[in-house]
Amino acid sequence: MRRKAVYPGVLIVAVLALCSLFLFSPHPKAAAQANSSCCSQQNVGPREMVFPYYSLAGGFNSTLNLVSDFPKPLNFVLAVHSLSGQTELSNTMTIQPFAKLAVDMRTLLTKQGADVTGTFSQGNVSVYFEGTIMPLAGQMAIENPQRHWVQQADMVEND
């Protein structure tokens, strides 16, 4: 009986992850800048990058992998939202120019004092930063070592 209950749960996680692994959208205040050229200094503004799902429940681990495409250090803040609507904000973090940064969600939330086995065992993540259209890219990798299950998307530049 337990086996039948596991497959729908895994299917739901897989469908959510495949539907939209990461979305990029400008912060509402930056909407007025949408008419300017893509990479000019006039297009610098507040940005939000959304990763619609992470899971720490049932043996799953989640890692947010970020990549900088910016010639200067880039400061950002992570907002982790639980499925019940609660939010935990990280301290300001920095990624170095053209660097990669892996953020383990369990470690981040544990340091923040969040309940990783309850309220914050699943949810979504927003990354807030100030910059041009895409100085930062990323992916959420969700894995379960006991089940040999990994869900992640390849990061590619979509010109």
Side-chain angles (χ1 to χ4, degrees):
M1 290 304 259
R2 177 173 163 77
R3 191 173 199 175
K4 288 182 179 181
V6 170
Y7 290 115
V10 170
L11 183 60
I12 289 170
V13 169
V15 168
L16 286 172
L18 288 174
C19 285
S20 54
L21 282 171
F22 55 91
L23 302 173
F24 294 97
S25 63
H27 194 276
K29 291 181 181 177
Q33 299 173 347
N35 293 333
S36 62
S37 66
C38 85
C39 302
S40 71
Q41 289 296 344
Q42 296 170 343
N43 206 12
V44 173
R47 306 285 177 200
E48 177 182 21
M49 189 167 43
V50 178
F51 298 88
Y53 186 72
Y54 76 90
S55 179
L56 304 175
F60 282 90
N61 299 312
S62 294
T63 305
L64 177 60
N65 297 300
L66 298 172
V67 178
S68 172
D69 191 25
F70 200 62
K72 298 178 184 176
L74 186 65
N75 295 325
F76 62 93
V77 173
L78 298 179
V80 182
H81 310 285
S82 72
L83 293 180
S84 65
Q86 295 182 13
T87 300
E88 280 287 333
L89 292 174
S90 74
N91 294 326
T92 300
M93 302 170 82
T94 303
I95 187 168
Q96 296 303 314
F98 307 107
K100 296 178 183 178
L101 178 65
V103 179
D104 179 84
M105 296 306 297
R106 185 179 313 276
T107 302
L108 174 77
L109 288 167
T110 300
K111 286 181 180 178
Q112 296 290 93
D115 180 11
V116 296
T117 60
T119 305
F120 283 92
S121 64
Q122 298 179 68
N124 64 64
V125 179
S126 296
V127 181
Y128 295 101
F129 57 94
E130 184 93 14
T132 58
I133 294 295
M134 277 188 59
L136 193 61
Q139 74 177 163
M140 183 66 74
I142 305 168
E143 65 178 335
N144 187 320
Q146 279 112 8
R147 294 185 182 158
H148 305 285
W149 189 89
V150 177
Q151 177 63 50
Q152 63 186 23
D154 290 333
M155 289 186 282
V156 295
E157 189 170 335
N158 189 9
D159 285 341

